[in-house]
Amino acid sequence: MKEKFSGIWPAMFTPINNDGEPALDQVEKLVELFISQKLGGIYILGSTGQGLLFTEEQRKQVTRRVAGISKGRIPIIVQVGALTTAEAVRLARYAEQCGVDAISSVGPVYYSGNAAMALEHYKGIASSTQLPFFPYQLGENFIPGDTIQFVNQLLNIPHIAGMKLTTNQLLEISSIHNYAGEKLKLFSGSDELFCHASLCGTVGAIGSFYNIWGLQCKQVLMEFKNGNYALAQEFMLGFQKVICKILPNSWTFFRKAMLLKYQIDIGEAKAPLGNTQIEWEDEAVMNIFKEIESLAVH
Amino acid sequence: MKEKFSGIWPAMFTPINNDGEPALDQVEKLVELFISQKLGGIYILGSTGQGLLFTEEQRKQVTRRVAGISKGRIPIIVQVGALTTAEAVRLARYAEQCGVDAISSVGPVYYSGNAAMALEHYKGIASSTQLPFFPYQLGENFIPGDTIQFVNQLLNIPHIAGMKLTTNQLLEISSIHNYAGEKLKLFSGSDELFCHASLCGTVGAIGSFYNIWGLQCKQVLMEFKNGNYALAQEFMLGFQKVICKILPNSWTFFRKAMLLKYQIDIGEAKAPLGNTQIEWEDEAVMNIFKEIESLAVH
Amino acid sequence: MKEKFSGIWPAMFTPINNDGEPALDQVEKLVELFISQKLGGIYILGSTGQGLLFTEEQRKQVTRRVAGISKGRIPIIVQVGALTTAEAVRLARYAEQCGVDAISSVGPVYYSGNAAMALEHYKGIASSTQLPFFPYQLGENFIPGDTIQFVNQLLNIPHIAGMKLTTNQLLEISSIHNYAGEKLKLFSGSDELFCHASLCGTVGAIGSFYNIWGLQCKQVLMEFKNGNYALAQEFMLGFQKVICKILPNSWTFFRKAMLLKYQIDIGEAKAPLGNTQIEWEDEAVMNIFKEIESLAVH
Amino acid sequence: MKEKFSGIWPAMFTPINNDGEPALDQVEKLVELFISQKLGGIYILGSTGQGLLFTEEQRKQVTRRVAGISKGRIPIIVQVGALTTAEAVRLARYAEQCGVDAISSVGPVYYSGNAAMALEHYKGIASSTQLPFFPYQLGENFIPGDTIQFVNQLLNIPHIAGMKLTTNQLLEISSIHNYAGEKLKLFSGSDELFCHASLCGTVGAIGSFYNIWGLQCKQVLMEFKNGNYALAQEFMLGFQKVICKILPNSWTFFRKAMLLKYQIDIGEAKAPLGNTQIEWEDEAVMNIFKEIESLAVH
């Protein structure tokens, strides 16, 4: 039987209409897309989903709609982290009422503080529901050497189920896995390293680029685990090349790519996010599609 | 004639009631306190004022009340930075309607990005009103070597009047002053270095500790400029010692200190801010008061 | 035909006698060991070999002896980097006369400077011989975003053949490989990530731990490339666990481990290196041997 | 009576001849210059003096000559730090025999390690003579929060007399002074902040630029302490402007400046130091002299 929390999970874009509000019709199309692709699950309202840039009410709307469409056909994790613990708790409880599968939270934002502050923040959120909890690491000031001590304290948080990692330090991932084992299901957050991270004991990966190439990444990860080293090496090198091209203007790319490939309009990123990015020509986007296709066909 | 934007400015605490809302009666008392102390001005809703932890409506309430009380008796700068440029613009326009003296903004939060993103964000905010604008530096990822290039672009922003600096790199402050001269009124944000920073060309200082010791700091800065090196050295060393003692539990200290010294209740910081801080005994707070008093009396 | 510069290369310990001088008889035993293990090659006088802690004359002695023993039976790369370019050049020329296969150099030491300084330093060294040159990255102040620009300039250095990487940023490795392709043979320097790095296009790995477990690592890397994902995952996780245990007292471990396993005495590290490390019990070292053996036996 | 270790100390350039050896005749001229200027003392063979780029024998030569010329007319501190503790100890003992006033040492180089390693290294050096000892901070990996713990351990080192600070974090300097008081005479190492640092309790400053403008800096520091705030502000801002202009090509500037101003040839820096710096026109150097002169004349 397949593990509920595993595999390739898009950190779902939150489509936005011209007024800066969630475009719920496009949200539906995205959810149906990922269900049809049989991806591992959907992670909503994280950094890619611009969760923190929406009002509390808008975040609840999106959560309700996603849960309402998916109806258990695909696992859903909702990122509920917010500037105050109080708002995060309200979002967590609302998500539970909507029937999602788990909640997640970024560390403290703005006042990024220390590990103790993050742990207390996480504890407040995790305790407020019965849902499995997948926190991030401890905010923005992570010091590698303190990882194990932090993880040890994390294991005492109610309903802790895993982590949504942001690090690209693979030894940090291995160290967490070596320490916590099955007690923490680890999702890697560096799209460009999803195969490498699986060697460190991750159960899956959550990221932006799986909105576009979820199918390809799912196939590569499966084949890599089944022994196709050559495919993994070739794909990851090509995927990394593409990611590096896209990153400086990622939000304009994402919008056009989703439109061209899936006819889904995710709208313009909410400023200041993407406020200096230049538009992509259709042809440039299509060329990148071809680059990826040339890697995954075997 | 005194320069409007200069001197010692408290980054005003925003008093909070038991429901987590702004306690406007205590706000009034704070404003009257600073007016009576003849401080340089008041900076509201910044990091010390927990600006980002309030809703848009609450931030407007506080702005309206502060402007309504001060009525031009003391200059007011409102920090309007927010997670989205759109919200910051609404806050800026509201502040202008309330008749404050200037606006300020932190750099992009959460998606901290690069200097270009910050500049575009700042430009959007500054253009939306006729008020003098005092941005922070470029968010959290400041690279010293890029300072001058950044400042050069900052000077092209409409209504730019100065900066609220957060750096403790004094050469960075001097470099900005040497480059921009009178075009940028610089406020230093490191309370523990307000005298040192004045040697770098700052016009004044904005900070948390001036809520408590604004009078003392005002006197020391004035005497230092008038040649009292010995007082400045003694006071700054003692002040730094006190700041280092307070910082690990600053929010609980601030609350008790304001209550004991001025009978103003600023309430509990909004979690996760201060969520791991331990309470201070009255006596420990009083001892710190005595430490400062012993430095400034001459 | 096997590629000359590839596979698992121990960054050879330089055995030291009680007077702090190179123990050449133990050096011989080490070289014979690695030849008998059919490892990819031997990298001498790098950080692990304490190259910079020996006098110029001592470094020449070691180079001469290693070249004299190996006599082409195994490829040898000599790290010639030194505090001055002039000394590095003398060491490079001497290495060439001894008939080694390639030279390598750390970036500028102490005055770590910028990429331009490193490139000029590398150019001076590389130009002084006809040997293939494998520089490190650009000293200690590497900024990932500048990687490609740096690599582009590196490609103009005479006799450039590859790089000895120290980074644990795998995307940096992939980016270099994607840019330079076959023009740069990349050796990864993070022992704990040698399989992960091979997915990024490295030709091999150079590191301390291969002095002890070169055979096991060689086998794992080969099987990983041949499709044994499960072995690679299990071994790397276990190897990482062991490395994390050893690192805080690595020099005392290395000495005892080489003595117990191979009857080679590498002596005491030259202070300040290892000057605070505590001694290992024989049993603790033996237990770590067992831990590794349990991973690689299949 | 004047304190022996205080005031403005040039980190003396070590003049070099065309063969890369110390030019002892120019060394003599430098020492006489500083004696005639009645500067606080002379700090030799540090980073500015390229100490680590000379052989052990050359460092001894320079030490002997400087001590031989000064003959107690000006205090001398010798930087004896080296790649190995053993070499540093030999240099320390030699310096003591030469009759210098104190020794100093940089932290571990190359293997920069942690505070414990630095302390052990310092202890080894300090214990080897009866001279007052002025270590640097703990190498290159300084973490501000650990300052006090480090200083506390430093106070247990034999003959500890003070520190040669490299930090530009003024709160770190104040924190050390607040903790150690008269037990540690602190010299600041950031030339551009020598007045600011004196507010933090430093007894003086050691730096490169005092080779050229020792007299001016001595006067400014004295007047600043006597109440001339305006002079200090004007001079420091101008001095900082000049330093920022010089830094990208400091070694070529230093050489030409010493030649034009004092007819002393310090020679070319030992590569890789300065290996990418461009030459200065005489006029550009003279203009910088004028800039400084315009600041200090009152």
Side-chain angles (χ1 to χ4, degrees), chain A residues 170-242:
Chain A
L170 293 184
L171 184 58
E172 191 181 333
I173 301 179
S174 293
S175 297
I176 297 175
H177 179 68
N178 272 332
Y179 183 78
E182 299 306 308
K183 280 179 277 184
L184 288 182
K185 293 178 202 311
L186 304 180
F187 284 93
S188 65
S190 296
D191 300 21
E192 72 278 11
L193 297 174
F194 72 88
C195 279
H196 315 66
S198 87
L199 284 175
C200 301
T202 56
V203 296
I206 295 171
S208 311
F209 288 90
Y210 314 133
N211 281 281
I212 305 171
W213 295 295
L215 272 184
Q216 287 84 348
C217 294
K218 186 177 78 164
Q219 181 196 346
V220 168
L221 183 56
M222 191 191 64
E223 293 203 26
F224 176 50
K225 291 183 172 182
N226 287 337
N228 197 341
Y229 170 88
L231 171 66
Q233 193 195 47
E234 183 197 341
F235 182 82
M236 292 312 296
L237 281 166
F239 191 42
Q240 289 164 334
K241 195 187 282 186
V242 157

Side-chain angles (χ1 to χ4, degrees), chain A residues 78-134:
Chain A
V78 184
Q79 196 286 117
V80 301
L83 279 160
T84 62
T85 310
E87 181 177 345
V89 164
R90 290 192 300 267
L91 289 167
R93 288 181 177 152
Y94 191 85
E96 186 173 36
Q97 289 166 21
C98 292
V100 304
D101 299 277
I103 52 171
S104 175
S105 176
V106 298
V109 173
Y110 192 66
Y111 303 92
S112 52
N114 55 19
M117 184 203 259
L119 284 161
E120 193 64 21
H121 183 58
Y122 287 153
K123 194 155 64 177
I125 298 167
S127 313
S128 69
T129 79
Q130 299 298 317
L131 292 175
F133 181 54
F134 291 82

Side-chain angles (χ1 to χ4, degrees), chain A residues 47 85 110-111 117 140 271 275, chain B residues 47 85 110-111 117 140 271 275:
Chain A
S47 300
T85 310
Y110 192 66
Y111 303 92
M117 184 203 259
E140 302 164 22
N275 65 1
Chain B
S47 300
T85 310
Y110 193 66
Y111 302 92
M117 184 202 259
E140 302 164 21
N275 65 2

Side-chain angles (χ1 to χ4, degrees), chain C residues 128-182:
Chain C
S128 69
T129 79
Q130 298 298 317
L131 293 175
F133 181 53
F134 291 80
Y136 276 50
Q137 285 140 292
L138 64 151
E140 301 165 22
N141 298 325
F142 202 86
I143 299 165
D146 299 343
T147 303
I148 297 311
Q149 191 189 343
F150 176 71
V151 168
N152 190 34
Q153 294 174 283
L154 212 55
L155 288 171
N156 292 324
I157 287 183
H159 315 304
I160 185 83
M163 292 177 80
K164 155 74 168 75
L165 301 167
T166 54
T167 185
N168 57 10
Q169 300 288 317
L170 293 185
L171 184 59
E172 191 181 333
I173 301 180
S174 293
S175 298
I176 297 175
H177 179 68
N178 272 332
Y179 183 79
E182 298 307 308

Side-chain angles (χ1 to χ4, degrees), chain B residues 152-169:
Chain B
N152 190 35
Q153 294 174 282
L154 212 55
L155 288 171
N156 291 324
I157 286 184
H159 316 304
I160 185 84
M163 291 179 80
K164 155 77 169 73
L165 301 166
T166 54
T167 185
N168 56 10
Q169 300 288 317

